[in-house]
Amino acid sequence: MTPGVRLVVLGKQGAGKGTQCVRLSHYYSVPHISTGDMLRANVKTRTPLGLEAQARMDRGELLPDTLIMDMVRERLKERNVSSRGFILDGCPRTVVQAELLQDMLAPSSLDLVIDLEVPTELVLVRIASRRVCKDCQAIYSTSEPPVVKWICDVCGGMVQQRPDDTEEAVSRRLAAYEAETAPLIGWYEDRELLVRLDGVGTPDEVLERSIAAIEARRGTER
Ligand code: AMP
């Protein structure tokens, strides 16, 4: 069996993080931990956390670091994570979150941080056409819809545009990315954990690049 991995995937909204993380989590048999998906599940079931998070998420604003990292800490304690690793999608998003994550993982660390690089013009096009299953978060696009129109192929849920994929929220999310998340690239580079990958291409092409980068890091080049 392929060994597990401890991976963070960075990239702007629409860079393809969600799509790649799902595929990588199947390849390495480790859980895909998306803080956005966890928050949306809380919004859907109207938990106190979801009620607190919803307005900020809809506006495209980041949530407080401690709230996010408390949620991640609980998730990392679960047995399937501690035994094989994880793929973190959408977290860390600030240097404070990255520091808290390092503390949580100590004395161990991440294997690698992948930065998926895609030009802003292209992410805007991708976000405008992105459609997501309301129930299981499977990702589609207007050019690659589900087989039966807007019914999810995976779970039968309704496929629709995300409430924060509006023009206004997207520009706020991209601004938050530049201000808060882009500095993480240098932060992880200083710690020799970062690899920059071209995120332009088909999902299969980008997956190949990602696996090659992870295996190169472990010294098991394919
Ligand atoms: P995503 O699906 O990763 O784009 O996340 C959707 C929204 O959830 C973001 O726009 C934020 O409002 C919130 N969010 C998700 N992850 C984080 C995080 N690590 N830090 C702060 N806010 C987050």
Side-chain angles (χ1 to χ4, degrees), residues 201-215:
T202 65
D204 284 346
E205 287 165 349
V206 180
L207 179 68
E208 268 300 307
R209 279 174 219 152
S210 306
I211 294 171
I214 295 165
E215 297 309 319

Side-chain angles (χ1 to χ4, degrees), residues 35-36 39-40 57 61-63 68 90 93 97 162 173:
T35 44
L39 292 165
R40 281 183 287 277
M57 289 174 73
E61 293 169 11
L62 292 185
L63 294 169
I68 295 287
R93 259 194 170 75
Q97 292 182 18
R162 269 172 51 168
R173 284 157 65 208

